[in-house]
């Protein structure tokens, strides 16, 4: 399966978010818990055991950051009346990081650092325990953005091994960068190296908000230079929708499979048909 774990301070409130997409059942399970912004701990840096952490009545998530020794520990749990999940994971970096600062306008920067890891540990969903193996990988996004009042972005990532055993992952995003040719976060990760990618577009065959049960939304991600041509078939989505007074959030975390290819800076082509992917389609007004 695919696990997403997040501790976030949204300014108005904090949130713990845990999502698990079951590859066999093709179903998604979501645990969201809110807390006060002031009780949400966000690490000031990513070294020397710095901690990001949030606790609620039904959840506790903790990131112990030791990037100085190329390690992160993630532990926690979340439960509701239907299902519960817990995890204890140790991550070791296997790639160079992507560190970018993207301008969205005057006094509107985005900072994001992303790194690819190999993972050891276990995950428990109800009474079922899943253990890591040689095909277990993770990406952490340490992220802070001063977004425009009206914002939108699309994002997709995948990670895994190709048929020849080579580790590969990519990050593709279209956001509100004022100069996406020079300021974007698109790249390929390999073990021990990275390769940059150009700006991309996301074209959807239907609005994600209008998706019906049993339907897929097909998202075509491509660039202007023939380096990216990915079709992402969205099967499931985890929704966070908040419409209250001056705040409007439409946040879809999506799951499905991809087909197509990406190319590195040396024009080597990597076909990724059948890879599992996670994406975001997020709009906010605040």
């Amino acid at each position: 399966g695919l696990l997403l774990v997040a501790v976030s301070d949204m300014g108005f409130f904090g949130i713990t978010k845990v999502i698990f997409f079951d590859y066999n059942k093709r179903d998604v399970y979501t645990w969201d818990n809110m807390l006060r912004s002031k009780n949400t701990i966000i690490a000031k840096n990513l070294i020397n055991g710095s901690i990001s952490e949030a606790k609620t009545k039904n959840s506790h998530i903790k990131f112990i950051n030791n990037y100085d020794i190329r390690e992160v520990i993630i532990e926690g749990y979340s439960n509701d009346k239907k299902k519960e999940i817990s995890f204890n994971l140790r991550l070791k970096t296997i790639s160079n990081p992507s560190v970018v600062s993207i301008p969205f306008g005057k006094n509107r920067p985005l900072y994001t650092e992303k790194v690819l890891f190999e993972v050891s540990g276990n995950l428990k969903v109800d009474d079922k325990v899943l253990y890591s193996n040689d095909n277990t990988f993770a990406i952490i996004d340490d992220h802070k953005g001063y977004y425009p009042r009206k914002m939108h972005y699309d994002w997709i990532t995948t990670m895994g091994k190709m048929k020849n055993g080579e580790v590969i992952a990519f990050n593709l995003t279209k956001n509100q960068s004022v100069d996406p040719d020079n300021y974007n976060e698109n790249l390929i990760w390999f073990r021990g190296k990275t390769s940059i990618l150009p700006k991309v577009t996301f074209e959807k065959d239907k609005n994600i908000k209008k998706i019906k049960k049993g339907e897929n939304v097909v998202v075509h991600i491509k660039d202007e230079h023939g380096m990216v041509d990915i079709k992402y078939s969205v099967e499931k989505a985890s929704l966070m929708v908040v419409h209250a007074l001056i705040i409007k959030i439409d946040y879809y975390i999506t799951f499905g499979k991809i087909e197509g290819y990406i190319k590195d800076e040396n024009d080597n082509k990597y076909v990724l048909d059948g890879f599992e992917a996670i994406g975001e389609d997020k709009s906010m007004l605040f």
Side-chain angles (χ1 to χ4, degrees):
L2 197 157
L3 174 70
L4 181 145
V5 179
V7 172
S8 180
D9 183 354
M10 304 288 286
F12 297 99
F13 56 87
I15 189 170
T16 67
K17 181 176 285 291
V18 181
I19 304 174
F20 182 68
F21 179 60
D22 188 312
Y23 289 167
N24 295 319
K25 295 180 180 179
R26 312 307 294 173
D27 208 353
V28 61
Y29 309 101
T30 302
W31 297 263
D32 282 340
N33 288 276
M34 292 188 181
L35 65 157
R36 292 182 178 182
S37 175
K38 68 178 183 179
N39 294 332
T40 308
I41 300 170
I42 304 297
K44 299 296 184 183
N45 55 53
L46 299 175
I47 59 174
N48 300 326
S50 65
I51 290 174
S52 292
E53 184 176 22
K55 296 181 183 179
T56 74
K57 180 180 177 181
N58 299 310
S59 69
H60 180 201
I61 297 173
K62 186 176 185 179
F63 288 76
I64 304 172
N65 300 293
N66 287 299
Y67 282 53
D68 48 315
I69 57 172
R70 306 179 72 87
E71 179 183 272
V72 178
I73 295 171
I74 307 172
E75 53 193 28
Y77 69 88
S78 196
N79 60 62
D80 55 27
K81 294 180 180 179
K82 297 179 181 180
K83 296 185 79 65
E84 61 181 358
I85 188 169
S86 60
F87 38 87
N88 194 325
L89 307 168
R90 184 179 295 271
L91 284 59
K92 287 282 189 180
T93 62
I94 59 172
S95 77
N96 294 326
S98 162
V99 185
V100 297
S101 183
I102 298 175
F104 288 163
K106 186 178 181 180
N107 296 324
R108 286 284 180 260
L110 165 73
Y111 147 81
T112 175
E113 176 172 345
K114 296 182 175 72
V115 189
L116 179 65
F117 300 82
E118 57 187 7
V119 182
S120 61
N122 63 78
L123 160 70
K124 185 178 182 182
V125 182
D126 292 334
D127 295 326
K128 185 176 182 180
V129 181
L130 304 176
Y131 296 94
S132 62
N133 58 32
D134 291 342
N135 295 308
T136 309
F137 302 98
I139 293 170
I140 289 184
D141 178 4
D142 185 65
H143 178 115
K144 186 169 185 175
Y146 294 89
Y147 288 92
R149 182 170 182 268
K150 184 177 182 181
M151 61 82 75
H152 178 84
Y153 68 77
D154 290 289
W155 166 78
I156 182 176
T157 194
T158 190
M159 64 203 87
K161 284 184 179 178
M162 303 193 66
K163 291 180 180 179
N164 63 2
E166 184 175 14
V167 179
I168 191 169
F170 68 64
N171 186 85
L172 295 169
T173 309
K174 184 180 186 299
N175 53 33
Q176 289 164 283
S177 172
V178 298
D179 183 4
D181 283 309
N182 290 306
Y183 298 97
N184 67 63
E185 54 184 281
N186 302 329
L187 84 165
I188 312 170
W189 284 283
F190 302 97
R191 188 181 290 275
K193 60 181 180 178
T194 58
S195 184
I196 61 173
L197 292 168
K199 69 178 182 182
V200 294
T201 58
F202 285 66
E203 297 176 358
K204 302 156 195 171
D205 69 345
K206 59 177 72 71
N207 192 321
I208 188 76
K209 298 178 183 180
K210 298 180 181 179
I211 188 172
K212 297 178 181 178
K213 189 175 181 179
E215 286 186 346
N216 288 8
V217 173
V218 178
V219 185
H220 191 186
I221 304 111
K222 59 183 179 179
D223 73 316
E224 300 172 342
H225 310 284
M227 293 182 71
V228 178
D229 195 336
I230 296 287
K231 287 187 178 177
Y232 173 38
S233 184
V234 176
E235 299 175 40
K236 294 286 183 177
S238 175
L239 280 62
M240 179 182 175
V241 178
V242 179
H243 293 179
L245 299 176
I246 62 171
I247 301 172
K248 185 177 181 181
I249 302 173
D250 292 284
Y251 183 21
Y252 296 79
I253 299 177
T254 60
F255 302 87
K257 291 188 177 182
I258 62 175
E259 63 179 38
Y261 68 85
I262 53 178
K263 290 183 178 180
D264 65 20
E265 296 170 55
N266 297 315
D267 205 39
N268 297 308
K269 185 176 183 179
Y270 304 89
V271 177
L272 301 174
D273 293 356
F275 269 53
E276 302 278 0
I278 178 174
E280 289 181 319
D281 184 322
K282 186 173 185 179
S283 300
M284 290 181 64
L285 179 67
F286 60 97

